[in-house]
Amino acid sequence: MKTAICAMLGIDFPLIAFTHCADVVVAVTNAGGLGVLGASGRSPAQLDDDLAWIDARVAGRPYGVDIVCPASDTSTTDAADPARMADSVPDGHRHFVNQFLKQHDLPFRHEQKDMNNPMRVDHAMGQQLLDVAFRHPIALVANALGVPPRTMIDTAHSSGVLVAGLVGTARHAVEHVAAGVDFVVAQGTEAGGHTGEISTLVLVPEVIEALRHTRHVPVIAAGGIVTGRQMAAAMALGAEGVWTGSVWLTTAEAETPAATVSRMLEASSTDAVRSRSRTGKPCRQLRSTWTDAWDADASPPPLPMPFQSLLSEPVLRRVDQLAESDSNALACATYFVGQGVGLLRSRRHVRDVINEMLEDFVDAIDGLTATLTD
Amino acid sequence: MKTAICAMLGIDFPLIAFTHCADVVVAVTNAGGLGVLGASGRSPAQLDDDLAWIDARVAGRPYGVDIVCPASDTSTTDAADPARMADSVPDGHRHFVNQFLKQHDLPFRHEQKDMNNPMRVDHAMGQQLLDVAFRHPIALVANALGVPPRTMIDTAHSSGVLVAGLVGTARHAVEHVAAGVDFVVAQGTEAGGHTGEISTLVLVPEVIEALRHTRHVPVIAAGGIVTGRQMAAAMALGAEGVWTGSVWLTTAEAETPAATVSRMLEASSTDAVRSRSRTGKPCRQLRSTWTDAWDADASPPPLPMPFQSLLSEPVLRRVDQLAESDSNALACATYFVGQGVGLLRSRRHVRDVINEMLEDFVDAIDGLTATLTD
């Protein structure tokens, strides 16, 4: 199976896999697709180790890195000063969290000191991770948050690395192309993680149409895609390939906690809710007592990014540790996942997922062709 | 182009068009698809006239009717007693509406007496409309609100009429099939009007999977579909055809107000918002100052169905009348439409829309086939 993006990236079929697990990157890349490692949450040293581990296993085959790197420095000031950030969290919000923990019989409280170690999502950290990534033979770099900064694009291009831009609206796609990205990932609302409101089925053709009047770049579809039939659907819309995420979370190679994998395999699409309860921005994740509490009419409005994380991360990291042995913690635990979770029913190896996707892709085309000849 | 649904309905290609305009029904049916008239908002006598008008123009070709007929009588009591309904509307909500009208320089107020004529969406009215419909040679009846009542299904089947069930989740699909529908319309969140949260791309395969263990019925895809490429995408997922709505609103044959058509042709997908501001249930429609006001943090929560309509309908009907000459009224006017509105760019005849859809459908399949052979 070949499209323009295959030649650009040096892959056998246009399937890109976003994952936080180095094992999944290796398995997808070695199967002929493109694994993309989500670097956020790693320190520069950890990223360096993980990329070296990947390099040793893919024999020069292409893979990519996804880094959250805001274009501007505006978020840096506050993020660099945890004390000032913590001061911005209203007491009522912390009280709400502690009431929640009590009501759900969770055996800990949210303390003031928990707010001193925010996850750093800022330009400086993004730049450090980028510097590490460019020391490895990556084929692609993607920015998960807004238009990639100028330095990311320039450094990538001078190193022969392609840059992908993830967009949720046609307007954003035009901005990304103007900034110099090599291809656009049009990500529909059904995707896991930070996501817009436009569905993949509408967004992909709307982005393609909007880019008719710009420099030509391929458009890749993302959001909800976990099967080969959906891959065929996305490419029927004119996408040159697909960007996937959720489907890898339940594979044997993934590091997703076992209890979470079980919940995902039982989930329907309605269990993947778009909620501001974790990061402050709408972010699709597994529904849990935490997301329900913040969606309730009686809840305070979630704080804007990055302040909501000062409330959510200490709680959600702790419940992840407790979830294997505490059913209340398991019910509170959440995980970024898209609506496609409703189509995942068994734990499989990456290789088997890919083989099935490619078979289903061909079946879908055969079925369409048959409607014309019957 | 043939699928199972074509043989069932006696149509040439699996394209079903939902519309409130009899002219569009006639044009789609005569072109070889299936026009379905949305009957809600019509009196039984008006419906009788419209169906007679259609009968005289389609020469026996198949068409359908969509009727909002709740299965139970629960809503009838209140709906039959406007005074009791009006008593349930909080003064604060009416005050909010009148503040809104003042702020937006709209030249009227919402009066107590405006609440005495609610649109009747109840079982008794649905039954009267059904009785009228069954006196005409309809091929299909659909229920837009929940599982079709037993009498609808029984009467339809004894008259050789097929019954379609519109569903927004896999669970609802199983319930509709158990109740006896002949096919299921899986309608994604991108659709106009009352809509769920699951996207078409995920919902269609999830419904097909859920129905593997029930009596076999075809699944039709709905939500966001306005082009032939999207039709191919839906059928790549395994749908036997498509159910469309928004694409007909801007056709030359439609009775959509001219000012609204202009706004739709300029709109992007982000202008089709899912809002409870009109009916009390989440309903996708053209974003307007009305939907914005009820989405604002300071707004009271919209009332549950059917009470919100007592606030919204008197205002929205009035602004529709004023919209041609009053820009504030035009900015307030809204209309049920899906995210596909972002792909509509010109006013076309129904026949041209269909021809283009069929050409694009074939192009999409050619493109997919090429990925396998290149």
Side-chain angles (χ1 to χ4, degrees):
Chain A
M1 190 197 321
K2 290 278 177 190
T3 68
I5 201 79
C6 293
M8 285 171 69
L9 287 167
I11 54 181
D12 298 335
F13 41 84
L15 174 62
I16 304 181
F18 171 84
T19 171
H20 285 280
C21 304
D23 301 75
V24 175
V25 171
V26 168
V28 172
T29 283
N30 282 338
L34 188 88
V36 174
L37 187 72
S40 74
R42 283 174 167 81
S43 69
Q46 286 168 331
L47 180 62
D48 202 31
D49 284 351
D50 286 334
L51 297 187
W53 190 90
I54 292 170
D55 293 338
R57 282 161 183 80
V58 296
R61 282 185 162 274
Y63 70 93
V65 174
D66 180 285
I67 290 175
V68 180
C69 189
S72 75
D73 276 350
T74 46
S75 65
T76 313
T77 322
D78 279 342
D81 185 351
R84 272 187 56 195
M85 284 182 71
D87 286 346
S88 303
V89 174
D91 287 341
H93 279 67
R94 282 196 52 227
H95 178 70
F96 177 78
V97 169
N98 279 322
Q99 283 293 106
F100 167 85
L101 295 173
K102 203 166 163 185
Q103 276 163 19
H104 290 266
D105 275 334
L106 289 163
F108 61 94
R109 287 177 55 80
H110 186 285
E111 308 284 351
Q112 181 78 27
K113 67 177 167 53
D114 293 334
M115 300 197 289
N116 69 354
N117 187 22
M119 186 191 291
R120 285 186 62 186
V121 178
D122 59 62
H123 184 81
M125 174 56 81
Q127 192 57 52
Q128 289 180 50
L129 293 172
L130 265 184
D131 291 344
V132 168
F134 284 126
R135 291 202 295 270
H136 294 267
I138 59 174
L140 172 78
V141 65
N143 184 22
L145 200 74
V147 175
R150 185 76 254 159
T151 51
M152 181 192 276
I153 294 175
D154 288 347
T155 313
H157 287 170
S158 64
S159 317
V161 173
L162 297 178
V163 181
L166 270 78
V167 306
T169 66
R171 187 169 60 78
H172 288 160
V174 172
E175 291 169 6
H176 279 247
V177 171
V181 301
D182 299 292
F183 64 92
V184 162
V185 181
Q187 179 173 278
T189 185
E190 46 272 80
H194 290 114
T195 180
E197 300 193 65
I198 312 308
S199 83
T200 304
L201 185 68
V202 172
L203 182 65
V204 169
E206 198 175 17
V207 165
I208 289 172
E209 179 62 32
L211 297 184
R212 253 185 236 293
H213 311 291
T214 66
R215 174 170 59 86
H216 176 75
V217 302
V219 175
I220 303 294
I225 301 166
V226 305
T227 72
R229 285 191 168 272
Q230 291 174 306
M231 185 174 177
M235 292 171 65
L237 299 173
E240 300 260 5
V242 295
W243 174 284
T244 54
S246 301
V247 66
W248 314 109
L249 292 174
T250 56
T251 57
E253 287 84 349
E255 291 154 14
T256 320
T260 304
V261 169
S262 299
R263 279 176 65 207
M264 287 182 178
L265 294 178
E266 287 161 14
S268 81
S269 58
T270 54
D271 295 313
V273 296
R274 192 165 169 268
S275 166
R276 290 172 51 210
S277 63
R278 182 151 197 172
T279 70
K281 290 196 188 222
C283 199
R284 198 173 294 283
Q285 56 201 286
L286 209 54
R287 182 183 167 185
S288 83
T289 54
W290 178 262
T291 64
D292 282 351
W294 288 92
D295 278 348
D297 283 342
S299 96
L303 299 174
M305 184 181 266
F307 302 99
Q308 182 70 13
S309 303
L310 296 181
L311 294 169
S312 65
E313 288 302 328
V315 171
L316 295 173
R317 289 181 198 169
R318 190 72 184 274
V319 298
D320 277 347
Q321 293 161 357
L322 299 171
E324 293 286 338
S325 58
D326 179 332
S327 64
N328 291 323
L330 181 60
C332 177
T334 179
Y335 205 98
F336 300 135
V337 72
Q339 291 185 339
V341 72
L343 303 172
L344 303 178
R345 286 290 168 262
S346 64
R347 188 151 211 183
R348 293 171 293 168
H349 282 279
V350 165
R351 183 87 215 189
D352 295 331
V353 170
I354 291 176
N355 285 341
E356 200 177 312
M357 282 186 88
L358 298 180
E359 282 165 23
D360 282 354
F361 179 85
V362 175
D363 284 349
I365 298 175
D366 288 347
L368 283 174
T369 307
T371 67
L372 297 180
T373 52
D374 281 0
Chain B
M1 192 197 322
K2 290 279 177 188
T3 69
I5 202 77
C6 293
M8 285 171 69
L9 287 167
I11 53 182
D12 298 335
F13 42 83
L15 173 63
I16 305 181
F18 171 83
T19 170
H20 285 280
C21 303
D23 302 74
V24 175
V25 171
V26 168
V28 172
T29 283
N30 282 338
L34 188 88
V36 174
L37 187 72
S40 75
R42 284 173 166 81
S43 69
Q46 286 167 332
L47 180 61
D48 202 31
D49 285 352
D50 285 335
L51 297 186
W53 190 90
I54 292 170
D55 293 338
R57 282 160 182 80
V58 296
R61 283 184 162 273
Y63 70 92
V65 174
D66 180 286
I67 289 175
V68 181
C69 189
S72 75
D73 277 350
T74 47
S75 64
T76 314
T77 322
D78 279 342
D81 185 349
R84 273 187 56 194
M85 284 182 70
D87 285 346
S88 302
V89 174
D91 287 343
H93 280 68
R94 282 197 51 228
H95 179 70
F96 177 78
V97 169
N98 278 322
Q99 283 292 106
F100 167 85
L101 294 172
K102 203 167 165 184
Q103 276 163 19
H104 289 267
D105 275 333
L106 288 161
F108 61 95
R109 287 178 55 79
H110 185 285
E111 308 284 351
Q112 182 77 28
K113 66 177 167 53
D114 293 334
M115 300 197 290
N116 69 356
N117 187 22
M119 186 191 290
R120 286 187 63 189
V121 178
D122 59 62
H123 184 80
M125 173 56 83
Q127 192 57 52
Q128 288 181 49
L129 293 171
L130 264 184
D131 291 344
V132 168
F134 283 127
R135 291 203 295 270
H136 293 267
I138 58 174
L140 172 78
V141 65
N143 184 23
L145 200 74
V147 175
R150 185 76 254 159
T151 51
M152 182 191 277
I153 295 175
D154 288 346
T155 313
H157 288 170
S158 65
S159 316
V161 173
L162 297 177
V163 181
L166 271 78
V167 306
T169 66
R171 188 170 60 78
H172 288 160
V174 172
E175 292 170 4
H176 279 246
V177 170
V181 302
D182 299 292
F183 64 91
V184 162
V185 181
Q187 179 174 278
T189 186
E190 45 273 78
H194 290 115
T195 180
E197 300 193 64
I198 312 307
S199 83
T200 304
L201 185 69
V202 172
L203 182 65
V204 169
E206 199 175 17
V207 165
I208 290 173
E209 178 62 31
L211 297 184
R212 251 184 238 294
H213 311 292
T214 67
R215 176 171 57 87
H216 176 74
V217 302
V219 175
I220 302 294
I225 301 166
V226 305
T227 72
R229 285 191 169 271
Q230 291 174 306
M231 186 174 176
M235 292 170 66
L237 298 174
E240 300 260 5
V242 295
W243 174 284
T244 54
S246 301
V247 66
W248 314 110
L249 292 174
T250 55
T251 56
E253 287 85 348
E255 290 152 16
T256 320
T260 305
V261 169
S262 298
R263 280 176 64 208
M264 288 181 178
L265 295 178
E266 288 161 13
S268 82
S269 57
T270 54
D271 295 313
V273 295
R274 191 165 170 268
S275 166
R276 290 173 52 211
S277 63
R278 182 152 197 172
T279 70
K281 289 197 189 220
C283 199
R284 198 174 294 284
Q285 55 201 287
L286 210 54
R287 182 182 168 185
S288 82
T289 54
W290 179 261
T291 64
D292 282 352
W294 288 92
D295 279 347
D297 284 342
S299 97
L303 299 174
M305 182 181 267
F307 302 100
Q308 182 70 14
S309 302
L310 296 179
L311 294 169
S312 65
E313 288 302 328
V315 171
L316 295 173
R317 290 181 198 168
R318 191 73 186 272
V319 299
D320 277 346
Q321 293 161 358
L322 299 171
E324 293 287 339
S325 58
D326 179 331
S327 63
N328 291 324
L330 181 60
C332 178
T334 177
Y335 206 98
F336 299 136
V337 71
Q339 290 184 339
V341 72
L343 302 172
L344 303 178
R345 286 289 168 263
S346 64
R347 187 150 211 184
R348 293 170 294 169
H349 283 278
V350 166
R351 183 86 214 191
D352 295 330
V353 170
I354 291 177
N355 286 342
E356 199 177 313
M357 282 185 87
L358 298 180
E359 283 165 22
D360 282 355
F361 179 86
V362 175
D363 284 350
I365 298 175
D366 288 347
L368 283 174
T369 307
T371 66
L372 298 180
T373 51
D374 280 1

